[in-house]
Amino acid sequence: MVIAIDGPAASGKGTLARRLAVHYGLPHLDTGLLYRAVAMALIDEDRSLADPDAAASAARTLDAGSLDDPRLRDRQMGEAASIVSAVPAVRAALLDWQRRFAGAPGGAVLDGRDIGTVVCPDAPVKLFITASAEERARRRHRELGGRGEAAAYEAVLDDIRRRDARDAGRDAAPLVVAADAVVIDTTALDADSAFRAATDIIDGRRAGAGQEQ
Ligand code: CDP
Ligand code: CDP
């Protein structure tokens, strides 16, 4: 069972993906970390984020060990990831890696922007998690405060809007709702309610698939 979860920044897709993975006993990959790690490699080497060749080379030589680095969660890394992730050669270099992960026996949960559209177009379950930009900014603002990276709410809202526009507006694997995805709007849902909505959908699908056999 492959569960593909997409959505914009701070929509709650990572929280949901982690909980679904535990619930169904599946491995989980937060694919945003791959793009963040490419951006971090460039920053650490003092290379320009706007250099597509350097970004592609960093993606090809990505060290999976760097995915645990706490700096990947920094505010600037989300922004930097969204710049390098628009480079087609970066996306191509990370695609096989993600598909191998998704091909694990028994399945996997992957979350990102293009899982249901590009990485796992045949996934039997696709969820698109969203929420208003204001609610997502409130969540990210709270989160950053908790990590000692306090920022003004308005600045966080600007970040979110800029990243939404860049991720949805790019040519390579833009953020779009897959035709067969179910949309869950979490603006008024806490993490528990979002989890229940998702398991209802997934369990319904599995029961339906069982009856067809
Ligand atoms: O992975 P993504 O950027 O989409 O979001 P997240 O990291 O799962 O969630 C961002 C923040 O919102 C976290 O602090 C979550 O605890 C919180 N959250 C929430 O308040 N309500 C939800 N329904 C889901 C997440
Ligand atoms: O947690 P949050 O949603 O803020 O960000 P993330 O999921 O870690 O993704 C960071 C950036 O990486 C996004 O803004 C996208 O530009 C890019 N990304 C992507 O292009 N494709 C993915 N499958 C995952 C992330």
Side-chain angles (χ1 to χ4, degrees):
M1 176 171 62
V2 172
I3 303 178
I5 304 187
D6 291 302
S11 54
K13 61 189 179 304
T15 303
L16 178 63
R18 272 192 301 278
R19 290 185 62 168
L20 291 175
V22 171
H23 183 74
Y24 293 110
L26 297 171
H28 166 229
L29 179 64
D30 170 354
T31 63
L33 286 181
L34 303 175
Y35 295 93
R36 286 172 183 258
V38 170
M40 190 171 81
L42 289 176
I43 290 169
D44 284 352
E45 289 166 19
D46 256 337
R47 306 291 294 266
S48 162
L49 293 169
D51 177 347
D53 294 333
S57 151
R60 282 188 215 108
T61 53
L62 188 67
D63 169 16
S66 69
L67 299 181
D68 292 333
D69 195 313
R71 286 183 301 150
L72 293 177
R73 313 267 174 200
D74 288 357
R75 181 176 163 205
Q76 63 147 347
M77 228 50 97
E79 176 73 16
S82 120
I83 295 170
V84 299
S85 72
V87 176
V90 167
R91 307 200 71 84
L94 300 177
L95 191 55
D96 278 353
W97 211 87
Q98 296 173 81
R99 287 198 173 142
R100 266 199 307 277
F101 189 94
V109 183
L110 287 85
D111 75 275
R113 300 291 186 290
D114 63 337
I115 309 302
T117 50
V118 174
V119 179
C120 303
D122 298 327
V125 178
K126 298 181 186 179
L127 303 176
F128 190 92
I129 312 304
T130 190
S132 72
E134 291 76 10
E135 174 58 22
R136 290 186 285 122
R138 267 192 291 278
R139 292 175 185 171
R140 205 28 66 87
H141 178 250
R142 204 180 316 128
E143 221 173 24
L144 288 169
R147 317 174 12 123
E149 252 200 300
Y153 166 80
E154 289 301 334
V156 178
L157 180 58
D158 276 354
D159 279 1
I160 294 260
R161 290 200 169 123
R162 196 171 46 250
R163 205 129 69 83
D164 283 357
R166 197 186 287 122
D167 290 348
R170 68 186 177 211
D171 292 331
L175 174 69
V176 285
V177 184
D180 50 351
V182 180
V183 177
I184 302 178
D185 187 330
T186 71
T187 306
L189 296 184
D190 62 14
D192 285 346
S193 311
F195 174 72
R196 275 195 300 274
T199 51
D200 283 352
I201 293 162
I202 295 165
D203 294 344
R205 288 282 169 90
R206 294 171 99 195
Q211 275 165 12
E212 275 167 29
Q213 280 163 14

